[in-house]
Amino acid sequence: MASEHPTGGSEGAELGRFLRARRTQTSPRQAGLTVGPGLRRTPGLRREELATLAGISIDYYVRLERGKETRPSPSVLDALARALHLDDQEHQHLRDLAARAARYAPETPPAPSRTVRPHLKLLLESLRPNPAYVISRSMDMLAWNPGGLALYAGLEDWPAKHRNLARYLFLHPAARALFPDWDRQITACAARLRAVAGTAPDAPDLTNLVGELLLKSPDFARLWERYEVTGRKPAQKTFHHPRVGTVTLTSQSMQLEGTPGQRIGVYTAEPGTPDHDALLLLDMTAAQPTQRPAGADAEQSRQQP
């Protein structure tokens, strides 16, 4: 039987969830089917329609969607991807889910280390006044420079172990005011978490966060149910910041080699522009004598809440 926890957990269950979500959100018109008159009770494609489009039997497809079949061939996956008009990222996610279902092991994997290497903290300092931080795969903020924390207005009020960018976007009262495109931000955030959780559905760092957000945020629950995995962060972000006013910054996120899924995020602005002046002001006002060194709190909070 399928696990009850929020990110899945049983053989083929996550693969089935993804297929079902994409099927119900693919219209017959998108799939090239002619729909007769009358009201359709099923949103999106019916199971038999998708099976026909992919060239597989309805019984086999039903087994896939119910998590009973865990070893679909690459050709079947490709056929389903074509029928559902998956983009490259969604197609790869489907392959990853199938690969995991085939080698599924019931042991719960440990949460990745929250330790940030000293040279990465030095890197964050060297990037000032550009706001920068290191986050985990589940978007915990593990280390930061002064502007990297201050940019997310109000995040510094939370204890270090609770500082998580997904939690901030969905649950912090300041987030809606900070981002003029808050709806777009939360859509991309949920999609990113879906993509990560799909291939590690038993990991405690992910299940704990997702469970909390499902319980506390109706917006997250709605987006989680859609099972989108292709939310993309815009190259530029605008912040209505209470300390430095409205600022538009270019964002860049990079995977850190030799770490357990950690990434570095950096925001920049062209020198000499009002946006860059705002970053200088943010960095100076955030770096007060009481400010702890970048990531110092995180060193004392290596366990998930």
Side-chain angles (χ1 to χ4, degrees), residues 138-140 152-155 157-158 161-179 182 185-187 189-190 193 208-223 305:
S138 57
M139 303 180 71
D140 286 328
Y152 291 89
L155 183 59
D157 298 333
W158 282 356
K161 67 178 181 179
H162 290 292
R163 292 172 186 166
N164 176 286
L165 295 187
R167 182 181 287 118
Y168 176 84
L169 278 172
F170 284 99
L171 301 182
H172 201 292
R176 287 177 184 261
L178 184 66
F179 293 103
W182 180 78
Q185 297 292 333
I186 63 170
T187 299
C189 178
L193 281 178
N208 291 342
L209 175 65
V210 171
E212 177 188 355
L213 294 179
L214 286 172
L215 182 65
K216 296 179 179 179
S217 172
D219 292 301
F220 181 81
R222 170 179 55 83
L223 292 169

Side-chain angles (χ1 to χ4, degrees), residues 70-174:
T70 61
R71 295 181 179 274
S73 68
S75 62
V76 167
L77 295 175
D78 292 345
L80 288 167
R82 287 192 299 271
L84 292 168
H85 293 272
L86 302 186
D87 63 23
D88 290 344
Q89 188 174 348
E90 290 170 325
H91 193 168
Q92 184 57 52
H93 189 71
L94 179 64
R95 293 191 188 104
D96 292 342
L97 291 176
R100 185 190 178 281
R103 65 174 185 268
Y104 180 83
E107 306 86 43
T108 299
S113 170
R114 293 173 57 93
T115 301
V116 176
R117 295 175 180 175
H119 75 276
L120 293 175
K121 297 178 184 178
L122 290 175
L123 176 60
L124 294 178
E125 283 297 309
S126 73
L127 290 169
R128 295 175 61 183
N130 301 301
Y133 49 79
V134 173
I135 59 173
S136 70
R137 65 179 184 183
S138 57
M139 303 180 71
D140 286 328
M141 189 177 279
L142 304 178
W144 53 84
N145 62 22
L149 180 61
L151 185 61
Y152 291 89
L155 183 59
E156 61 190 3
D157 298 333
W158 282 356
K161 67 178 181 179
H162 290 292
R163 292 172 186 166
N164 176 286
L165 295 187
R167 182 181 287 118
Y168 176 84
L169 278 172
F170 284 99
L171 301 182
H172 201 292

